[in-house]
Amino acid sequence: MTKNNLIIKLLTGTNPKLLSSCLLLLRITVGVILFIVGAGKVLGWFGGFGMQTTINFFVTKEGFSVLLAYLSSYTEFIGGILLVVGLLTRPVALAVVINMAVATIVSLPRGFVAGAAYPFSFMISAVIILLAGPMLISLDSLIFRHK
């Protein structure tokens, strides 16, 4: 291989094993952050307020139903864990996309930088995970691998 071909391969080539590692890193990052935020909402961990305060906020300040408050909080809490381990990755990623799309829309009146950028970033990350799937380093791959 000539020097130019090597440079072109380095700049444009794709390594499937590295791609799998990249998706693992993205899943872990998004999953851990969602778990921490969700655990704060549900259990009051990590400086969170717990479920009752979360419900009160969702219902009185944001105008959501109690059911949607639970769905949103548990999507982050349980979905975060599932993304980290790569179990039911695509359904969880879809739930996170929906949750973060709503959060983005609700946050927009505060401005993009001051409110909507955070959930928008998670929404796009979840879209990437949804489209790419769990890849090789996941429980989904281990359990459902086609031989």
Side-chain angles (χ1 to χ4, degrees), residues 3-61:
K3 185 177 177 181
N4 285 342
N5 286 344
L6 180 60
I7 291 171
I8 290 172
K9 184 175 180 183
L10 286 173
L11 293 174
T12 62
T14 301
N15 181 327
K17 289 182 182 180
L18 284 179
L19 190 57
S20 228
S21 298
C22 291
L23 257 294
L24 172 64
L25 183 60
L26 182 63
R27 280 193 355 254
I28 289 172
T29 302
V30 170
V32 165
I33 294 170
L34 287 176
F35 170 77
I36 290 170
V37 170
K41 289 177 180 176
V42 172
L43 302 172
W45 293 357
F46 308 108
F49 298 108
M51 199 70 230
Q52 192 56 52
T53 303
T54 299
I55 289 171
N56 290 340
F57 173 78
F58 271 77
V59 172
T60 60
K61 300 285 187 195

Side-chain angles (χ1 to χ4, degrees), residues 4 27 38 50 53 68-69 87 89 110-112 115-117 126 133 135 137:
N4 285 342
R27 280 193 355 254
T53 303
L68 288 177
L87 182 62
T89 305
R110 293 188 291 265
F112 186 77
M135 302 294 285
I137 311 169

